[in-house]
Amino acid sequence: QVQLVESGGGLVQSGGSLRLSCAASGSIFSINAMGWYRQALGKQRELVARITRGGDTNVADSVKGRFTISRDNAKNTVFLQMNSLKPEDTAVYYCNANIRLTPFLSNRSYWGQGTQVTVSS
């Protein structure tokens, strides 16, 4: 059973930094794209950043210049470095990964349980 475990969320003051981590575990053949989404209370889920297996990145305009996504393929882990945090960044952040379990199965999207990020003003 594949599991994505997020860590690093918490409460931080405006202008502060947090580093989120998401580690995939289980019987995994390969992991393709990994990414971070967030959902604020009462708002729709939105893509924050994603990164391919080869390291190509896509970052939302709202966080460009402040957030950086990276990954460690050897550890099946993706990171989100969040700097200059603003109150509007407050949300539950969800890890996502496209994972192939065997060479004979298609990729499947997996989600973590989410980690709360709260930025106080």
Side-chain angles (χ1 to χ4, degrees), residues 1 7 11 13 19 30 54-55 65 83 85 88-89 95:
Q1 180 177 327
S7 63
L11 175 64
Q13 289 184 296
R19 185 175 178 85
S30 65
N83 299 325
L85 283 162
E88 49 263 46
D89 294 318
C95 178

Side-chain angles (χ1 to χ4, degrees), residues 1 11-12 15 26 43 76 78-79 87:
Q1 180 177 327
L11 175 64
V12 66
K43 297 183 178 180
N76 291 338
V78 63
F79 306 94

Side-chain angles (χ1 to χ4, degrees), residues 92-103:
V92 177
Y93 284 70
Y94 295 93
C95 178
N96 175 262
N98 295 119
I99 296 174
R100 185 182 296 272
L101 300 184
T102 79

Side-chain angles (χ1 to χ4, degrees), residues 4-21:
L4 301 180
V5 180
E6 300 125 326
S7 63
L11 175 64
V12 66
Q13 289 184 296
S14 180
S17 298
L18 287 173
R19 185 175 178 85
L20 305 184
S21 299

Side-chain angles (χ1 to χ4, degrees), residues 10-108:
L11 175 64
V12 66
Q13 289 184 296
S14 180
S17 298
L18 287 173
R19 185 175 178 85
L20 305 184
S21 299
C22 173
S25 62
S27 182
I28 298 172
F29 176 71
S30 65
I31 302 178
N32 296 297
M34 303 184 79
W36 292 93
Y37 293 73
R38 68 185 182 187
Q39 186 167 19
L41 187 63
K43 297 183 178 180
Q44 64 183 2
R45 184 186 65 183
E46 64 177 358
L47 175 68
V48 178
R50 65 184 301 156
I51 183 169
T52 68
R53 182 170 51 201
D56 295 323
T57 61
N58 190 329
V59 182
D61 289 340
S62 59
V63 303
K64 281 184 179 177
R66 301 188 297 120
F67 292 10
T68 302
I69 189 169
S70 61
R71 65 190 289 173
D72 185 339
N73 290 335
K75 297 181 179 180
N76 291 338
T77 302
V78 63
F79 306 94
L80 185 68
Q81 178 65 48
M82 305 186 294
N83 299 325
S84 301
L85 283 162
K86 305 175 181 179
E88 49 263 46
D89 294 318
T90 296
V92 177
Y93 284 70
Y94 295 93
C95 178
N96 175 262
N98 295 119
I99 296 174
R100 185 182 296 272
L101 300 184
T102 79
F104 312 106
L105 295 175
S106 299
N107 291 327
R108 177 182 171 184

